Amino acid sequence: MRKFIIIFSLFILACVFSFSDTIKFVSGDFYPPFIWVDASGNPQGFSVEFLDLLEKETGLDFELELMPFSEALERIENGKADMINLIFKTPEREKYILFSKPLFEIESNIYYRKNLNVANISDLNPYIVGAVKGDANVEIAMNINPKLVFRFFDSFSDLIEAVKNMEIDVFLMENFTASYYFLKNDLVNTFKKIDLSKQYVYLGISKNREDLLTTVDLALDSLKSYINDFLSLYYTERKVSEIPRWILIIGFVALIAGTFIFYVVVAINNYLKKEVETKTKDVQLKNEELQSAYEEITAMNQELSATNEELESAYEEISNYQNQLDEILSFTSRIASENMTEETYFKESSKFLLDNIHGLEFSMFISIEDGVLNALVYSKNHNFTKFRIENFSKEIIDCFDENSKLLEAEVFTSKYQAMNFKDYILKNELFPSKILTYPIRIGQKIHSFLALGIQDEKLYLQNKVKIEKILKTLSIFFNLNEYSKEKAVFQKKLIIVFTKALEYYDTYTKGHSVNVANYASKISEKLGFESERISKIYWAGLVHDVGKIFVPQSVLNKSEKLTDEEYELIKLHPLKGYELISEIEGLKDIAEIVLYHHERYDGKGYPYGKKGDEIPIESRILCVADSFDAMTSDRPYKKSLTLEEAIEELRKNSGTQFDPEIVSVLIDILLSEFNHRSSMNA
């Protein structure tokens, strides 16, 4: 009976509205998964399908118009629209909007990058929070923390573009839409969230269309099952998409050979980077405390002196840490670029370990192939010995485990009586008290073992973290050495690692390669290049300075004017970069772009003095992008130019150093971005 009454009421209301005007229905223009515009310009999504069903239920004719959400709110407030799509109810909006029955509940969150030191919403004061104009959640957030500073965007797509470009580190968004953008832009594991609110969404109706509210509410009762089906489908898809990080990594390894090891290398480098950043922050904190102590009380001379010594110790520790990092990068760079045998690799690795970690007596590499146990031993006296046992007992390998462990030296050496290992230790005057065993894996399989003879357990504990870092790094590059024999394409990934390493090696180029790649790709897009060509130019921008690895660090970071000899070393880096990249199969085109990126339009560049159209246009683009970023970046020998000064410098050198057409395109891009930022901040 109730269903009959609803249907009858809808019929009567439909008859009434059949003689009325078309219902003007406004909506935000990009609100996935609820509404968006496809490549053909047609609206798509839940709201479009739901509006069709609403037309059939009510007999009304809805005219859908898409626009920025803030403009849609203005339309409904001014009576220029009859209905608005999916909004939250607030006291302010209830002054000029009638709200339908609730459709469903949406969770809203504040998202922040994982590397930020944020625990709750009160920690967000130092950051600018991105939000879409008109978002009701802004008021909720401000009620919790009135000190928040917001930057408003016309649409979600503009907000996410700013997030991708690292302009925004914190933003406010509903979880439906955030999930869509995270998956689309590969940001799933980049952000954490702070729960903000859970609110129902409604259809909003103009105050002067109260008659329309009754019709819509009756129709919503009939369409409740469709709404529930949509939510059930969305959450099912979302659950499937939220795969744990380790499963994604394993799947990625299955699809692209060799990527697993590359990922581990990047993770280790990031770990080392974070360690340096953490220690730097500690030093900065101590420095601030020291400065505060000076200002507050001068009588605390003894405490100040102690703090000073602690600060100097911390600086020395960071310096030592940086030196260790440089040594590891130098070592790994060399072994990755040389075609080493397993034996040579072990010798070089062992020499590096014994020279850099005090208290190590020997390094032992053990592998088992075809039932034969092979052991290579390298002592602190630089003696190298091979052992081989064809019929070995299981006891020999019982002391090894899937994880690293520390054994008594007597227990370990007694296992190797058959190959006179104990005699070797005595002969070389080695006195280990403990043996550290460390498994080397290729993928998930244990390939071999390293054993380190430790003279003093206390000394080992002091150097434990350092030893584990070096062992992990050596193990990773052992994997890289193995993979490079089978997967030539992996060398392409290795170039990225060295590009990141260059940021540690040359402190003033951090972020420079990414900036150059971005500027170069924007210029290429403006010139109408196809996507594949733009990708090559972007890639070349990332690796254009990789040849600087071959330039001494003292030259790269020198604050005074370079000598002629030092400048000649710098001029080698395009050629060295070309030699390194061209060795990688499939990257010859990228190598040539890098080779000519310091040639000048007037022929006075290097390394070959090419001019005009003799220089590939990709290299000319890279030259302009590289020079602009250098102009606007601080260096030890110069301060950065302002945007206006840099543009004037580009114009001044147009036709001599730079291709005039490319200069013109870059200036248009820079002015457009500047005007856009100015309008946003107005």
Side-chain angles (χ1 to χ4, degrees), residues 281-408:
K281 287 180 181 178
D282 290 340
V283 172
Q284 291 173 343
L285 180 60
K286 288 180 175 62
N287 194 33
E288 291 171 0
E289 292 173 352
L290 185 61
Q291 185 64 33
S292 175
Y294 270 121
E295 295 172 353
E296 291 175 2
I297 184 168
T298 58
M300 301 176 67
N301 287 329
Q302 292 182 349
E303 183 179 349
L304 180 60
S305 176
T307 305
N308 235 352
E309 291 175 4
E310 185 178 353
L311 187 62
E312 290 173 1
S313 176
Y315 272 120
E316 183 179 353
E317 184 178 350
I318 288 179
S319 177
N320 291 336
Y321 192 88
Q322 181 67 46
N323 291 335
Q324 293 166 19
L325 179 60
D326 291 342
E327 289 169 356
I328 292 173
L329 288 174
S330 175
F331 171 69
T332 53
S333 170
R334 182 170 57 80
I335 65 171
S337 62
E338 296 177 4
N339 186 19
M340 290 188 177
T341 63
E342 190 172 272
E343 182 177 307
T344 305
Y345 175 82
F346 167 72
K347 286 182 182 179
E348 292 294 327
S349 301
S350 299
K351 185 177 184 303
F352 181 78
L353 273 168
L354 298 174
D355 288 348
N356 286 275
I357 305 295
H358 297 298
L360 293 185
E361 295 286 290
F362 65 85
S363 173
M364 184 175 185
F365 177 74
I366 300 168
S367 62
I368 300 173
E369 294 183 10
D370 300 326
V372 177
L373 185 146
N374 294 291
L376 308 175
V377 185
Y378 192 92
S379 74
K380 67 178 180 181
N381 302 321
H382 302 296
N383 291 330
F384 175 70
T385 305
K386 300 180 185 180
F387 295 105
R388 174 184 175 90
I389 305 179
E390 295 188 358
N391 298 312
F392 60 90
S393 66
K394 186 175 180 296
E395 290 183 341
I396 291 181
I397 58 172
D398 282 345
C399 55
F400 293 101
D401 199 349
E402 290 187 357
N403 302 308
S404 62
K405 62 181 181 180
L406 202 61
L407 300 171
E408 294 292 337

Side-chain angles (χ1 to χ4, degrees), residues 579-624:
E579 291 173 354
L580 181 61
I581 299 169
S582 62
E583 288 295 321
I584 304 170
E585 183 178 353
L587 296 185
K588 189 66 178 289
D589 292 345
I590 292 171
E592 290 187 354
I593 297 174
V594 171
L595 177 61
Y596 301 117
H597 80 275
H598 272 295
E599 298 288 359
R600 290 171 53 106
Y601 197 69
D602 58 7
K604 297 180 180 179
Y606 58 86
Y608 298 121
K610 290 183 176 289
K611 65 180 180 180
D613 292 341
E614 294 176 355
I615 309 168
I617 189 170
E618 294 88 351
S619 300
R620 283 179 265 153
I621 291 172
L622 209 58
C623 175
V624 175

Side-chain angles (χ1 to χ4, degrees), residues 26-159:
V26 294
S27 174
D29 53 2
F30 203 75
Y31 189 21
F34 303 109
I35 197 162
W36 72 90
V37 177
D38 63 18
S40 302
N42 299 317
Q44 300 290 335
F46 162 80
S47 295
V48 177
E49 297 178 13
F50 180 73
L51 202 57
D52 290 340
L53 293 175
L54 199 60
E55 282 189 336
K56 293 176 183 177
E57 286 290 328
T58 61
L60 300 175
D61 182 18
F62 289 93
E63 180 184 300
L64 173 62
E65 186 175 359
L66 304 182
M67 61 194 68
F69 179 69
S70 57
E71 185 178 334
L73 275 176
E74 290 180 7
R75 290 276 189 97
I76 202 76
E77 182 178 6
N78 298 332
K80 295 181 180 180
D82 300 310
M83 289 181 65
I84 186 169
N85 186 31
L86 300 181
I87 62 172
F88 294 132
K89 183 189 292 187
T90 67
E92 181 63 28
R93 291 176 179 176
E94 286 185 298
K95 294 177 183 178
Y96 59 90
I97 296 177
L98 299 171
F99 290 89
S100 70
K101 291 181 177 180
L103 275 72
F104 46 83
E105 194 174 35
I106 288 183
E107 175 185 322
S108 298
N109 303 300
I110 295 178
Y111 296 90
Y112 62 93
R113 296 189 193 276
K114 286 186 176 181
N115 61 345
L116 301 184
N117 187 20
V118 173
N120 51 57
I121 195 169
S122 63
D123 295 332
L124 297 176
N125 293 347
Y127 307 102
I128 296 176
V129 182
V132 174
K133 291 180 182 177
D135 193 332
N137 286 300
V138 172
E139 183 178 347
I140 295 174
M142 289 294 289
N143 288 336
I144 300 173
N145 183 0
K147 295 182 179 181
L148 290 178
V149 178
F150 286 89
R151 176 181 171 184
F152 294 100
F153 296 83
D154 289 333
S155 65
F156 289 112
S157 56
D158 290 343
L159 171 55

Side-chain angles (χ1 to χ4, degrees), residues 298-532:
T298 58
M300 301 176 67
N301 287 329
Q302 292 182 349
E303 183 179 349
L304 180 60
S305 176
T307 305
N308 235 352
E309 291 175 4
E310 185 178 353
L311 187 62
E312 290 173 1
S313 176
Y315 272 120
E316 183 179 353
E317 184 178 350
I318 288 179
S319 177
N320 291 336
Y321 192 88
Q322 181 67 46
N323 291 335
Q324 293 166 19
L325 179 60
D326 291 342
E327 289 169 356
I328 292 173
L329 288 174
S330 175
F331 171 69
T332 53
S333 170
R334 182 170 57 80
I335 65 171
S337 62
E338 296 177 4
N339 186 19
M340 290 188 177
T341 63
E342 190 172 272
E343 182 177 307
T344 305
Y345 175 82
F346 167 72
K347 286 182 182 179
E348 292 294 327
S349 301
S350 299
K351 185 177 184 303
F352 181 78
L353 273 168
L354 298 174
D355 288 348
N356 286 275
I357 305 295
H358 297 298
L360 293 185
E361 295 286 290
F362 65 85
S363 173
M364 184 175 185
F365 177 74
I366 300 168
S367 62
I368 300 173
E369 294 183 10
D370 300 326
V372 177
L373 185 146
N374 294 291
L376 308 175
V377 185
Y378 192 92
S379 74
K380 67 178 180 181
N381 302 321
H382 302 296
N383 291 330
F384 175 70
T385 305
K386 300 180 185 180
F387 295 105
R388 174 184 175 90
I389 305 179
E390 295 188 358
N391 298 312
F392 60 90
S393 66
K394 186 175 180 296
E395 290 183 341
I396 291 181
I397 58 172
D398 282 345
C399 55
F400 293 101
D401 199 349
E402 290 187 357
N403 302 308
S404 62
K405 62 181 181 180
L406 202 61
L407 300 171
E408 294 292 337
E410 187 66 29
V411 173
F412 181 86
T413 55
S414 65
K415 302 285 186 180
Y416 291 87
Q417 293 285 1
M419 59 182 185
N420 299 319
F421 181 57
K422 205 173 210 180
D423 294 339
Y424 172 83
I425 288 180
L426 294 173
K427 181 180 177 181
N428 285 276
E429 296 183 354
L430 306 175
F431 307 100
S433 64
K434 300 283 184 179
I435 306 293
L436 175 67
T437 64
Y438 186 85
I440 296 176
R441 291 179 173 85
I442 300 296
Q444 299 298 321
K445 183 180 178 182
I446 294 179
H447 172 269
S448 50
F449 297 94
L450 269 175
L452 297 180
I454 297 170
Q455 185 183 50
D456 186 345
E457 187 172 359
K458 290 183 179 179
L459 194 60
Y460 160 72
L461 292 175
Q462 292 173 4
N463 291 279
K464 182 179 178 181
V465 175
K466 189 189 301 182
I467 291 172
E468 289 178 350
K469 286 177 184 175
I470 294 177
L471 285 177
K472 286 180 182 178
T473 304
L474 295 177
S475 179
I476 288 166
F477 275 90
F478 184 87
N479 277 264
L480 290 177
N481 195 49
E482 289 294 311
Y483 267 81
S484 65
K485 295 174 184 176
E486 302 172 3
K487 307 291 182 182
V489 70
F490 185 79
Q491 295 177 355
K492 178 178 177 181
K493 303 296 182 181
L494 190 58
I495 291 295
I496 298 179
V497 175
F498 288 121
T499 304
K500 292 295 182 184
L502 180 61
E503 293 185 354
Y504 296 103
Y505 186 72
D506 180 6
T507 56
Y508 298 102
T509 62
K510 185 174 183 181
H512 171 67
S513 297
V514 174
N515 292 341
V516 172
N518 287 333
Y519 286 129
S521 59
K522 287 179 182 179
I523 295 170
S524 305
E525 290 175 6
K526 196 81 170 176
L527 290 173
F529 289 3
E530 67 277 7
S531 59
E532 183 178 354

